[in-house]
Amino acid sequence: MATNLLNLPTFWKGNHERELSDNRDYQPREILSQSILCATPSIYSILNSFGPFPPYSLVVGMCRDGLPFMIGLDNPKSGSILVVGENSIEKTQILKSISFSASILNNPNQVRLCVITNKVDRYADLMKYPNCQALLTPYERAAGEMVIEFAAIAEQRRSGRERGEALMLLIDDFQSFAPMLSDYSVYLNLKTLVAKGPNSGIWPIISIMSGDVHSAKGQLLRSFGTYIFEKVDNDPGLIPKSELMTPPELIHQPNYNVIIGGRLIPISNLSV
């Protein structure tokens, strides 16, 4: 079973054993414990431990109860995704979890993606999946052209043509891509994609440093539907220690908060 926040009641407290006791897919406590006890669980171990996942799924991270936090690309309510934090490696881990899980769980006829990053080496293994159509640096002209191409596809879909597969445009490190926005066509099309893309099955997913959120491009950044913020304070009480058969120092604590649909949920990132 996976956690899809869009389907949770507003009063949800993360106690799945109480609220989902009649769900046959609920994972036994011993399996739940195993999934949250390693320092940084991998996306592969999470995908192997839970499921089956529905089509168009991707996994962002791990919830505080040990379940994967999932978003469905067939539901535009979550909107475009912005990952905010100071730790470059951890933000990259979240984008890698998103891109690798989407590629593993879906065939190219369901989900395709393009990644723009100045850390191309960190995404090299993604190219072995046919879902990944392009891996570009933010300094290439093709990166700006990709934004314009995705916006054109979104416009065609809004005009009533065939919808096609879900498309993901990941930009890892918005600051490195920002110079490309001096081309007003690129800026305008990216702004349109962030605000309206998910309604056409096109999903911008962008990471940015905390200090750059209130930049000159703030209007663009306020148009996201889902925000994933790096946590400043560590909350040692998120996982009841009485339910764990391991020393507390081995618990992988949540290090990001997801804000989506007016709700907040702590998640931990996953290694890839």
Side-chain angles (χ1 to χ4, degrees), residues 108-121:
N109 294 324
Q110 295 171 319
V111 177
R112 289 192 296 121
L113 57 92
C114 168
V115 180
I116 300 173
T117 178
N118 57 3
K119 314 174 190 75
V120 172
D121 56 321

Side-chain angles (χ1 to χ4, degrees), residues 71 74 80 200 220 272:
I71 286 178
D74 56 346
S80 302
S200 300
L220 182 153
V272 179

Side-chain angles (χ1 to χ4, degrees), residues 135-146:
L135 182 56
L136 305 169
T137 69
Y139 319 111
E140 299 178 63
R141 181 177 178 179
E145 293 173 345
M146 185 63 65

Side-chain angles (χ1 to χ4, degrees), residues 22 35 39 63 69 73 91-92 117 146-147 152 159 161 165 176 190 226-227 234 236 241 248-249 257 266:
D22 59 345
S35 70
C63 300
F69 177 75
L73 296 178
K91 292 200 304 293
T92 295
T117 178
M146 185 63 65
V147 171
S159 300
R161 301 184 188 181
E165 67 277 22
S176 64
L190 181 59
T226 296
Y227 296 88
N234 190 26
K241 297 180 179 60
E249 62 269 16
N257 284 322

